[in-house]
Amino acid sequence: MNTALVILAAGKGTRMNSDLPKVLHPLAGAPLLVHAMQAGASLGPECTVVVAGHGAELVRKAALSHDPTCSVVEQTEQLGTAHAAAQARDALRGFDGTVIVLFGDTPFVRSETLAALVEAQSQHDVVILGFEAADPGRYGRLVMEGDRLNRIVEFKDATDAERAISLCNSGVVACKADLLFNLIDKISNDNAAGEYYLTDVVELARAQGLSATVVRCDESETLGINSRAELAAAEAAFQTRARAQAFDDGVTLPAPETVHFAFDTVVGRDSVIEPYVVFGPGVTVETGATVRAFSHLEGCHLARGSTVGPYARLRPGTELSEDAKIGNFVEVKNARIGTGTKINHLSYIGDATLGDQTNVGAGTITCNYDGVMKHRTEIGDGVFIGSNTMLVAPVHIGDNAMTGSGSVITSDVEAEALALSRAPQIEKPGMATKLFTMLRAKKAKQQRGS
Ligand code: UD1
Ligand code: CA
């Protein structure tokens, strides 16, 4: 079945009280809009159209950086959901399949639910995603007659009897493209809000003798975010689900409520994630890895058996091979760390490639930035980097080489060589005792004087 997505994201989101458009507020490390796009992407749509309005340029950037193939159209005035959907018409010209309209501020719709919606659309002209609301509040009400949906009435326009209905509109609509735009053309703004309601497509379709029905989902899927409090509640709901998913995937979390996942975190079976670990976007952890307490990871990949932390920071572009070990107070960025290689204490490794079975001593720094440009450090297999080595990039350390502790390495080191660059040690016999005597006498004199 050919599908296209139209994601409405032009609204201001007044209740967020923010300069940032509502749909760009992050949930689990990704804008709300990206969650809606991801949910829709599970249908394999032929095209995705995002309708932007408030903060359109920022929304366009976010949409295109998630999916460069999507189209972003602008609704310059927000005249209602039907008017918003109408803006997608040109972008969908020539498309003759089913259009699914989603809201950019509704992040939790499941792919199975959208699949059911598309399936139902093959039997009915208009399909609406509905839910039984615990508290129907200001949602649009679905007026049913048996299995058939007669119309949707907005809260503002509803009679008391209609307000008593608990089956509500999620906002998600499925309809063939040509029919949808024909119906939208007929919608007026003659209602309590003076807006063009997309929900009117139902009544208009029925008036033409067409069929309309409802696919039901759980209320938790249709949760829309309107305020900071709702955003925080949605984050909590996301994290609860992500932790439950991790347990199902065979991951050990001794303190699950302290571990924070991103929208795309993947953790393999028999991995252990200790307390207070934060996953930013783009992390994959393979089977049997350990992330120790208080570590922060983003944009990185941990191979089998690797260990990170406690108190480690892995930044984007970090690639740990099997059994690699990153210890406490180590920061790694844009670096490939070979099999069994260890960076155990207090180091910064950035823009680097490290071979296998190499050991990096405490306090080592790859000096990758000269104030203007970034440079790479390359370290071979079986290398021993002495503690507190400064590796001034670009620099290459050959296989099985060594650097002496405290060295500042500015030129390449050949394989199997020892590189030392530090002031030679000198020794003055008895000098320490002389110095102590002198200094103590000085202090005593000062104390007498004061
Ligand atoms: C809408 C539905 C209501 C449903 C509820 C579910 C209509 C008329 N009503 O009401 O039946 O129960 O959602 O949450 O559709 N938007 C635009 N341009 C506009 C107006 C809205 O892009 O001109 C976008 C908003 O950014 C938002 C979405 O459409 O993402 C929904 O708009 P909103 O004004 O929040 O609709 P509700 O009044 O909540
Ligand atoms: Ca809303």
Side-chain angles (χ1 to χ4, degrees), residues 23 59 130 132 161 164 169 187 190 193 199 227 232 234 236 271 301 309 337 356 373 394 439:
V23 294
V59 171
E132 282 294 337
N169 175 29
I187 292 174
D190 181 15
T199 46
S227 65
S271 283
H301 174 251
I337 312 299
D356 300 339
M373 286 184 296
L439 291 170

PDB file of all heavy atoms in Angstrom, residues 23 59 130 132 161 164 169 187 190 193 199 227 232 234 236 271 301 309 337 356 373 394 439:
ATOM      1  N   VAL A  23       7.391  21.828  18.738  1.00  0.00           N
ATOM      2  CA  VAL A  23       7.754  20.508  18.200  1.00  0.00           C
ATOM      3  C   VAL A  23       9.257  20.247  18.214  1.00  0.00           C
ATOM      4  O   VAL A  23       9.690  19.135  17.926  1.00  0.00           O
ATOM      5  CB  VAL A  23       7.221  20.302  16.764  1.00  0.00           C
ATOM      6  CG1 VAL A  23       5.702  20.270  16.762  1.00  0.00           C
ATOM      7  CG2 VAL A  23       7.764  21.357  15.812  1.00  0.00           C
ATOM      8  N   VAL A  59      12.315  24.513  12.262  1.00  0.00           N
ATOM      9  CA  VAL A  59      11.590  23.252  12.074  1.00  0.00           C
ATOM     10  C   VAL A  59      12.064  22.578  10.787  1.00  0.00           C
ATOM     11  O   VAL A  59      12.306  21.369  10.747  1.00  0.00           O
ATOM     12  CB  VAL A  59      10.061  23.495  12.060  1.00  0.00           C
ATOM     13  CG1 VAL A  59       9.301  22.238  11.653  1.00  0.00           C
ATOM     14  CG2 VAL A  59       9.596  23.982  13.438  1.00  0.00           C
ATOM     15  N   GLY A 130      -8.869   6.813  17.249  1.00  0.00           N
ATOM     16  CA  GLY A 130      -9.585   7.275  18.438  1.00  0.00           C
ATOM     17  C   GLY A 130      -9.110   6.555  19.688  1.00  0.00           C
ATOM     18  O   GLY A 130      -8.360   5.575  19.603  1.00  0.00           O
ATOM     19  N   GLU A 132     -10.328   5.799  24.097  1.00  0.00           N
ATOM     20  CA  GLU A 132     -11.201   6.029  25.250  1.00  0.00           C
ATOM     21  C   GLU A 132     -10.409   6.881  26.230  1.00  0.00           C
ATOM     22  O   GLU A 132      -9.374   6.447  26.740  1.00  0.00           O
ATOM     23  CB  GLU A 132     -11.578   4.692  25.913  1.00  0.00           C
ATOM     24  CG  GLU A 132     -12.664   3.913  25.195  1.00  0.00           C
ATOM     25  CD  GLU A 132     -14.026   4.615  25.206  1.00  0.00           C
ATOM     26  OE1 GLU A 132     -14.273   5.465  26.098  1.00  0.00           O
ATOM     27  OE2 GLU A 132     -14.847   4.302  24.319  1.00  0.00           O
ATOM     28  N   ALA A 161     -24.757  16.509  25.694  1.00  0.00           N
ATOM     29  CA  ALA A 161     -24.851  15.069  25.407  1.00  0.00           C
ATOM     30  C   ALA A 161     -23.592  14.611  24.679  1.00  0.00           C
ATOM     31  O   ALA A 161     -23.039  13.542  24.967  1.00  0.00           O
ATOM     32  CB  ALA A 161     -26.087  14.790  24.558  1.00  0.00           C
ATOM     33  N   ALA A 164     -20.530  14.277  26.805  1.00  0.00           N
ATOM     34  CA  ALA A 164     -20.558  13.082  27.669  1.00  0.00           C
ATOM     35  C   ALA A 164     -19.892  11.872  26.995  1.00  0.00           C
ATOM     36  O   ALA A 164     -19.596  10.869  27.651  1.00  0.00           O
ATOM     37  CB  ALA A 164     -21.996  12.747  28.050  1.00  0.00           C
ATOM     38  N   ASN A 169     -10.956  11.967  19.721  1.00  0.00           N
ATOM     39  CA  ASN A 169     -10.149  12.050  18.506  1.00  0.00           C
ATOM     40  C   ASN A 169      -8.685  12.275  18.865  1.00  0.00           C
ATOM     41  O   ASN A 169      -8.350  13.225  19.573  1.00  0.00           O
ATOM     42  CB  ASN A 169     -10.668  13.221  17.659  1.00  0.00           C
ATOM     43  CG  ASN A 169      -9.814  13.477  16.424  1.00  0.00           C
ATOM     44  OD1 ASN A 169      -9.206  12.558  15.892  1.00  0.00           O
ATOM     45  ND2 ASN A 169      -9.783  14.730  15.989  1.00  0.00           N
ATOM     46  N   ILE A 187     -14.353  22.415   3.470  1.00  0.00           N
ATOM     47  CA  ILE A 187     -14.437  22.745   4.901  1.00  0.00           C
ATOM     48  C   ILE A 187     -14.527  24.257   5.095  1.00  0.00           C
ATOM     49  O   ILE A 187     -13.789  25.018   4.464  1.00  0.00           O
ATOM     50  CB  ILE A 187     -13.225  22.152   5.656  1.00  0.00           C
ATOM     51  CG1 ILE A 187     -13.324  20.621   5.648  1.00  0.00           C
ATOM     52  CG2 ILE A 187     -13.137  22.689   7.088  1.00  0.00           C
ATOM     53  CD1 ILE A 187     -12.113  19.909   6.229  1.00  0.00           C
ATOM     54  N   ASP A 190     -16.870  28.007   9.919  1.00  0.00           N
ATOM     55  CA  ASP A 190     -18.066  28.458  10.612  1.00  0.00           C
ATOM     56  C   ASP A 190     -18.262  27.620  11.884  1.00  0.00           C
ATOM     57  O   ASP A 190     -19.064  26.685  11.919  1.00  0.00           O
ATOM     58  CB  ASP A 190     -19.257  28.288   9.645  1.00  0.00           C
ATOM     59  CG  ASP A 190     -20.557  28.751  10.266  1.00  0.00           C
ATOM     60  OD1 ASP A 190     -20.511  29.455  11.297  1.00  0.00           O
ATOM     61  OD2 ASP A 190     -21.622  28.387   9.722  1.00  0.00           O
ATOM     62  N   ALA A 193     -14.490  28.176  17.091  1.00  0.00           N
ATOM     63  CA  ALA A 193     -13.112  28.676  17.104  1.00  0.00           C
ATOM     64  C   ALA A 193     -12.799  29.544  15.883  1.00  0.00           C
ATOM     65  O   ALA A 193     -11.762  30.196  15.836  1.00  0.00           O
ATOM     66  CB  ALA A 193     -12.150  27.498  17.161  1.00  0.00           C
ATOM     67  N   THR A 199     -11.149  17.809  11.281  1.00  0.00           N
ATOM     68  CA  THR A 199     -12.111  16.804  11.754  1.00  0.00           C
ATOM     69  C   THR A 199     -13.413  16.827  10.952  1.00  0.00           C
ATOM     70  O   THR A 199     -14.152  15.849  10.942  1.00  0.00           O
ATOM     71  CB  THR A 199     -12.419  17.073  13.230  1.00  0.00           C
ATOM     72  OG1 THR A 199     -12.650  18.486  13.390  1.00  0.00           O
ATOM     73  CG2 THR A 199     -11.252  16.683  14.098  1.00  0.00           C
ATOM     74  N   SER A 227       2.720  21.533  27.333  1.00  0.00           N
ATOM     75  CA  SER A 227       3.368  22.341  28.376  1.00  0.00           C
ATOM     76  C   SER A 227       4.645  21.642  28.828  1.00  0.00           C
ATOM     77  O   SER A 227       4.877  20.469  28.514  1.00  0.00           O
ATOM     78  CB  SER A 227       2.432  22.481  29.570  1.00  0.00           C
ATOM     79  OG  SER A 227       2.221  21.205  30.152  1.00  0.00           O
ATOM     80  N   ALA A 232       7.752  16.825  30.616  1.00  0.00           N
ATOM     81  CA  ALA A 232       8.450  16.051  31.653  1.00  0.00           C
ATOM     82  C   ALA A 232       7.731  14.722  31.901  1.00  0.00           C
ATOM     83  O   ALA A 232       8.368  13.678  32.065  1.00  0.00           O
ATOM     84  CB  ALA A 232       8.545  16.862  32.941  1.00  0.00           C
ATOM     85  N   ALA A 234       5.974  13.102  29.731  1.00  0.00           N
ATOM     86  CA  ALA A 234       6.224  12.267  28.552  1.00  0.00           C
ATOM     87  C   ALA A 234       7.623  11.660  28.626  1.00  0.00           C
ATOM     88  O   ALA A 234       7.829  10.492  28.277  1.00  0.00           O
ATOM     89  CB  ALA A 234       6.071  13.091  27.275  1.00  0.00           C
ATOM     90  N   ALA A 236       9.251  10.945  31.332  1.00  0.00           N
ATOM     91  CA  ALA A 236       9.189   9.871  32.339  1.00  0.00           C
ATOM     92  C   ALA A 236       8.547   8.620  31.739  1.00  0.00           C
ATOM     93  O   ALA A 236       9.027   7.498  31.954  1.00  0.00           O
ATOM     94  CB  ALA A 236       8.410  10.347  33.563  1.00  0.00           C
ATOM     95  N   SER A 271      24.478  -7.211  28.713  1.00  0.00           N
ATOM     96  CA  SER A 271      25.247  -6.025  29.071  1.00  0.00           C
ATOM     97  C   SER A 271      24.783  -5.569  30.445  1.00  0.00           C
ATOM     98  O   SER A 271      23.665  -5.872  30.865  1.00  0.00           O
ATOM     99  CB  SER A 271      25.024  -4.906  28.058  1.00  0.00           C
ATOM    100  OG  SER A 271      25.764  -5.181  26.892  1.00  0.00           O
ATOM    101  N   HIS A 301      29.902   3.579  19.739  1.00  0.00           N
ATOM    102  CA  HIS A 301      29.607   2.155  19.611  1.00  0.00           C
ATOM    103  C   HIS A 301      30.543   1.367  20.511  1.00  0.00           C
ATOM    104  O   HIS A 301      31.765   1.576  20.465  1.00  0.00           O
ATOM    105  CB  HIS A 301      29.772   1.723  18.150  1.00  0.00           C
ATOM    106  CG  HIS A 301      29.634   0.244  17.969  1.00  0.00           C
ATOM    107  ND1 HIS A 301      30.696  -0.567  17.657  1.00  0.00           N
ATOM    108  CD2 HIS A 301      28.561  -0.563  18.106  1.00  0.00           C
ATOM    109  CE1 HIS A 301      30.271  -1.828  17.596  1.00  0.00           C
ATOM    110  NE2 HIS A 301      28.982  -1.850  17.856  1.00  0.00           N
ATOM    111  N   GLY A 309      33.924   3.409  32.120  1.00  0.00           N
ATOM    112  CA  GLY A 309      33.647   4.038  33.404  1.00  0.00           C
ATOM    113  C   GLY A 309      34.249   3.306  34.571  1.00  0.00           C
ATOM    114  O   GLY A 309      35.054   2.390  34.373  1.00  0.00           O
ATOM    115  N   ILE A 337      39.241   2.764  19.164  1.00  0.00           N
ATOM    116  CA  ILE A 337      40.092   2.146  20.178  1.00  0.00           C
ATOM    117  C   ILE A 337      40.125   0.643  19.885  1.00  0.00           C
ATOM    118  O   ILE A 337      39.081  -0.007  19.859  1.00  0.00           O
ATOM    119  CB  ILE A 337      39.529   2.391  21.602  1.00  0.00           C
ATOM    120  CG1 ILE A 337      39.169   3.878  21.822  1.00  0.00           C
ATOM    121  CG2 ILE A 337      40.486   1.871  22.672  1.00  0.00           C
ATOM    122  CD1 ILE A 337      40.314   4.850  21.694  1.00  0.00           C
ATOM    123  N   ASP A 356      45.485  -2.445  18.568  1.00  0.00           N
ATOM    124  CA  ASP A 356      45.074  -3.458  19.533  1.00  0.00           C
ATOM    125  C   ASP A 356      46.098  -3.583  20.658  1.00  0.00           C
ATOM    126  O   ASP A 356      47.300  -3.357  20.444  1.00  0.00           O
ATOM    127  CB  ASP A 356      44.947  -4.808  18.825  1.00  0.00           C
ATOM    128  CG  ASP A 356      43.923  -4.764  17.698  1.00  0.00           C
ATOM    129  OD1 ASP A 356      43.061  -3.856  17.724  1.00  0.00           O
ATOM    130  OD2 ASP A 356      44.003  -5.621  16.795  1.00  0.00           O
ATOM    131  N   MET A 373      42.880  24.370  13.746  1.00  0.00           N
ATOM    132  CA  MET A 373      42.509  23.117  13.095  1.00  0.00           C
ATOM    133  C   MET A 373      42.665  21.924  14.034  1.00  0.00           C
ATOM    134  O   MET A 373      43.402  21.985  15.007  1.00  0.00           O
ATOM    135  CB  MET A 373      43.376  22.910  11.856  1.00  0.00           C
ATOM    136  CG  MET A 373      42.969  23.829  10.713  1.00  0.00           C
ATOM    137  SD  MET A 373      43.908  23.524   9.229  1.00  0.00           S
ATOM    138  CE  MET A 373      45.547  23.941   9.723  1.00  0.00           C
ATOM    139  N   PRO A 394      49.474  16.536  14.350  1.00  0.00           N
ATOM    140  CA  PRO A 394      49.446  15.151  13.891  1.00  0.00           C
ATOM    141  C   PRO A 394      50.705  14.393  14.304  1.00  0.00           C
ATOM    142  O   PRO A 394      51.805  14.915  14.158  1.00  0.00           O
ATOM    143  CB  PRO A 394      49.368  15.298  12.364  1.00  0.00           C
ATOM    144  CG  PRO A 394      50.007  16.619  12.077  1.00  0.00           C
ATOM    145  CD  PRO A 394      49.723  17.487  13.259  1.00  0.00           C
ATOM    146  N   LEU A 439      64.744  26.697  55.145  1.00  0.00           N
ATOM    147  CA  LEU A 439      63.336  27.138  55.100  1.00  0.00           C
ATOM    148  C   LEU A 439      62.711  27.170  56.496  1.00  0.00           C
ATOM    149  O   LEU A 439      61.960  28.083  56.828  1.00  0.00           O
ATOM    150  CB  LEU A 439      62.525  26.228  54.169  1.00  0.00           C
ATOM    151  CG  LEU A 439      62.887  26.360  52.681  1.00  0.00           C
ATOM    152  CD1 LEU A 439      62.227  25.251  51.861  1.00  0.00           C
ATOM    153  CD2 LEU A 439      62.464  27.725  52.132  1.00  0.00           C
TER     154      LEU A 439
END
